[in-house]
Amino acid sequence: MKIAALLSLAATASAFAPATKPARATVAVQESKADLEVLAKKLNPIVGFYDPLNLAEAEFWGSSNEATIGFLRHAEIKHGRVAMFAFVGYIVHANGIKFPWAMQMDGTGFPSDTNPPALWDDVSESAKWQIFGLIGFLEFWSELSTPNHKHYMSGGKPGDYPDFVSGPDGIPHPIPFNLFDPFKFSKNKSAEAKEAGLIKEINNGRLAQIGILGFLSEQKMEGSVPLLKGIVAHYDGEPMAPFTENILGLPFGMH
């Protein structure tokens, strides 16, 4: 989703060896279907555990069931975070709020359109490539598995993000903040408070996914979301296409 990709950045590998400085303590996490059933009751006591595709018993790519559950848990948390950024960013841009400085080196300012998907279309192709380049790096870094950070399919904590490592064995310049808990708000919280916060984050992420798709659905098919009729503007473009041209289809005469 192109609007989610842009707005998720508005709020924000073994090729890099970890520094000797210890990072967040890691504890092996091996969740089972029973753990998911308990978590589901905490998330929504009314619906409870609902798994019509029986994914909780799957074994993706020949891995174990525990590794598959780690993948699914991490995927939901990550997509929920992106959706929350997208939902808030959509509202911000729909109200015409933007940075006052130039967006590009040539002095071009940020687009003034208040239709978020159309606003993305107004962003230059070079700027889009920079955005996706950063997304690609963050994805690459999130897959790190080091002695200080276990991969979420190998006993790591779903939703956790490895610290940025500076120096000769990592990123070649200082990184003042980490993507995960940059201001250390959660550092001294109790385990109970952290667990309660994660429950809220997952629920908010689920709701945000419904919300951002509701915005885009109503923009493309007026009346599909009656509560948003007349609130969000119509959009004639393709909200799922990141570029105005079909760059993959150009060699085949597709535009």
Side-chain angles (χ1 to χ4, degrees), residues 203-227:
N203 277 332
N204 288 338
R206 290 176 175 179
L207 186 59
Q209 290 175 72
I210 296 173
I212 189 62
L213 287 176
F215 281 147
L216 297 176
S217 296
E218 177 62 26
Q219 287 196 272
K220 285 296 295 181
M221 298 176 290
E222 295 183 35
S224 61
V225 186
L227 290 176

Side-chain angles (χ1 to χ4, degrees), residues 6-204:
L6 172 65
L7 299 178
S8 68
L9 293 173
T12 44
S14 54
F16 292 92
T20 56
K21 177 182 177 181
R24 294 184 303 273
T26 57
V27 178
V29 177
Q30 296 289 341
E31 293 180 306
S32 65
K33 181 179 179 180
D35 295 315
L36 296 183
E37 292 172 345
V38 172
L39 178 63
K41 278 293 185 181
K42 295 179 181 178
L43 289 165
N44 192 320
I46 297 176
V47 176
F49 184 72
Y50 182 69
D51 183 21
L53 298 179
N54 204 29
L55 294 177
E57 296 182 6
E59 295 181 352
F60 291 173
W61 311 294
S63 63
S64 67
N65 175 246
E66 289 81 5
T68 300
I69 289 175
F71 170 84
L72 294 171
R73 290 267 287 113
H74 185 82
E76 179 182 28
I77 294 170
K78 181 168 68 174
H79 283 80
R81 289 169 177 169
V82 172
M84 286 188 280
F85 280 129
F87 185 83
V88 173
Y90 186 104
I91 295 174
V92 168
H93 289 299
N95 284 277
I97 301 172
K98 61 179 182 178
F99 293 119
W101 52 80
M103 181 180 69
Q104 298 187 175
M105 297 296 291
D106 62 3
T108 302
F110 286 85
S112 299
D113 205 316
T114 55
N115 186 329
L119 184 151
W120 171 261
D121 291 337
D122 292 337
V123 175
S124 68
E125 300 290 279
S126 59
K128 291 177 182 178
W129 279 113
Q130 291 179 55
I131 291 169
F132 284 116
L134 177 57
I135 292 174
F137 167 77
L138 294 177
E139 283 291 299
F140 163 79
W141 194 267
S142 73
E143 295 297 317
L144 279 173
S145 183
T146 72
N148 292 323
H149 181 271
K150 292 184 179 180
H151 193 270
Y152 48 85
M153 292 184 69
S154 302
K157 183 179 178 181
D160 196 12
Y161 194 91
D163 289 341
F164 291 127
V165 179
S166 301
D169 294 327
I171 300 174
H173 56 77
I175 305 292
F177 300 105
N178 283 304
L179 190 65
F180 185 90
D181 194 22
F183 302 110
K184 308 298 182 184
F185 291 147
S186 300
K187 183 178 181 180
N188 297 320
K189 286 186 177 180
S190 65
E192 294 76 13
K194 291 180 180 178
E195 181 184 5
L198 183 58
I199 295 295
K200 295 174 184 176
E201 180 183 34
I202 294 174
N203 277 332
N204 288 338

